[in-house]
Amino acid sequence: MTDLVTFGESMGALTFTESPQIGARPRASFGGAETNVAIGMARLGHSTAWVGSVGKDLFGYMIMRTLRGEGVRWDHARQITTAPTGVLVSRHAGLGTFAVDYHRKFSAGRLITPDQIRAMFELEPKIVHLTGITPALGEEARAATMLAVELAGERGVPVSFDVNFRSRLWEAADAAPVLARIARGAHVVFGGTEELELLTGESEVAAATQRLLDWGVAEVVWKDSTTARVTTPTESVERPGRRVTVVDTIGAGDAFVAGYLSGWLEGLSFAERLDRGHLLGAFAVGTIGDWEGGPTREELTIAEISGGEVAR
């Protein structure tokens, strides 16, 4: 069996830490919400796999090679010649934030086939992790997402769903019914205040959480900049974030999800899952890049973080 299987778009990344101008040298890497989670969990010793498509280009080869090096299986990922790997370009905007431009309109990451999704379940996942980014990429990616939810339900595989609404990809009115449909098939849903409202139409977090529980979601994980709370039909547990010096906030939410799901697989209490999520998020914001700062199992056990800003 495989602890976690996920799918979606992974993109090349060029990050300018100085003013972008002639002669400036960007830092090359890659990122994607789903691969960020897969790498984060693999570093903690979990078996993970990613399914998706990249181009037969420099970034495509970098992504596949790095995933292999990080211990993430990509048996059912593919490199194609008909579309390029998407690219995001970012520049430092101060206070741990980056301004980002996406170049993904005709990217390979949008092309996920039903056969890839069916083959994904051959890996016998304990968890299938989805995000709201993938169905926003186009009809093919949306159909793949819905197929994954359907097959997970048929096989009794728990679905983890990080809402991850991206207004630059689609309008809220278009996204809401699609994301709500995915949430109805999920075991655990991760989201902030606005994302839970988008899913349910409820403006209060408590009401939105109850609506999700009424739909059959077993665990609703709400997060803001300082706190995270998990609510089930029988209990609610809240834990504060850790204080660290923030270098780059990109990837913090994905790191939190990796920590929470890692704790879930290991049978940790809700409080311990939230604490591990906060810890991985703290590691993530301390380093430039989507996933590079994630800890190994050894680093996780010796981590002592204090001072600085609140992070999740």
Side-chain angles (χ1 to χ4, degrees):
M1 297 185 73
T2 307
D3 287 339
L4 176 136
V5 173
T6 187
F7 67 93
E9 181 174 30
S10 196
M11 307 173 67
L14 295 174
T15 303
F16 289 89
T17 56
E18 56 183 322
S19 176
Q21 56 187 337
I22 300 301
R25 297 182 179 181
R27 173 185 178 278
S29 185
F30 71 94
E34 298 82 10
T35 44
N36 295 345
V37 172
I39 292 172
M41 293 185 65
R43 287 188 171 184
L44 298 181
H46 297 285
S47 56
T48 67
W50 172 77
V51 173
S53 301
V54 295
K56 281 197 172 182
D57 47 37
L58 291 177
F59 276 120
Y61 285 112
M62 175 196 291
I63 291 167
M64 302 299 267
R65 183 172 61 248
T66 305
L67 290 177
R68 182 171 60 244
E70 291 287 340
V72 177
R73 294 178 62 177
W74 44 271
D75 309 54
H76 304 299
R78 59 179 186 155
Q79 285 187 278
I80 60 177
T81 58
T82 54
T85 306
V87 177
L88 64 87
V89 181
S90 63
R91 63 176 177 82
H92 194 272
L95 300 177
T97 62
F98 283 79
V100 180
D101 293 325
Y102 291 98
H103 303 273
R104 70 195 317 175
K105 187 174 182 180
F106 301 106
S107 68
R110 296 170 175 262
L111 307 177
I112 304 170
T113 70
D115 286 343
Q116 284 179 288
I117 299 302
R118 294 188 185 96
M120 181 178 80
F121 283 91
E122 296 174 5
L123 301 175
E124 299 183 20
K126 296 179 183 177
I127 301 171
V128 170
H129 178 63
L130 310 176
T131 78
I133 297 173
T134 306
L137 298 177
E139 291 300 323
E140 187 168 332
R142 190 172 308 165
T145 304
M146 295 310 175
L147 178 60
V149 174
E150 177 186 341
L151 294 177
E154 291 176 358
R155 290 160 172 75
V157 178
V159 171
S160 161
F161 178 44
D162 188 356
V163 180
N164 242 326
F165 172 65
R166 294 289 184 266
S167 59
R168 293 173 68 171
L169 290 175
W170 53 351
E171 297 293 330
D174 297 324
V178 176
L179 299 178
R181 183 179 168 192
I182 298 169
R184 287 177 180 272
H187 177 91
V188 55
V189 171
F190 298 88
T193 301
E194 293 182 356
E195 290 172 328
L196 296 189
E197 179 181 356
L198 178 66
L199 282 183
T200 65
E202 301 285 355
S203 58
E204 298 294 329
V205 172
T209 297
Q210 186 58 53
R211 177 67 62 87
L212 289 167
L213 295 176
D214 291 342
W215 288 353
V217 178
E219 301 171 24
V220 180
V221 182
W222 166 83
K223 302 173 293 178
D224 69 6
S225 60
T226 63
T227 308
R229 180 171 63 242
V230 57
T231 304
T232 75
T234 59
E235 62 182 308
S236 184
V237 178
E238 185 171 302
R239 297 291 293 169
R242 289 175 173 257
R243 293 185 175 274
V244 296
T245 299
V246 175
V247 176
D248 178 6
T249 59
I250 295 176
D254 303 324
F256 178 93
V257 169
Y260 185 92
L261 296 180
S262 169
W264 177 18
L265 286 167
E266 294 176 20
L268 299 186
S269 69
F270 289 123
E272 290 169 326
R273 297 179 202 180
L274 295 174
D275 286 342
R276 181 173 289 185
H278 284 310
L279 181 56
L280 262 66
F283 269 100
V285 300
T287 306
I288 292 177
D290 279 38
W291 52 267
E292 289 90 321
T296 62
R297 174 69 63 171
E298 181 180 7
E299 291 167 336
L300 187 69
T301 60
I302 63 175
E304 289 292 341
I305 301 176
S306 62
E309 299 295 324
V310 173
R312 57 174 172 81

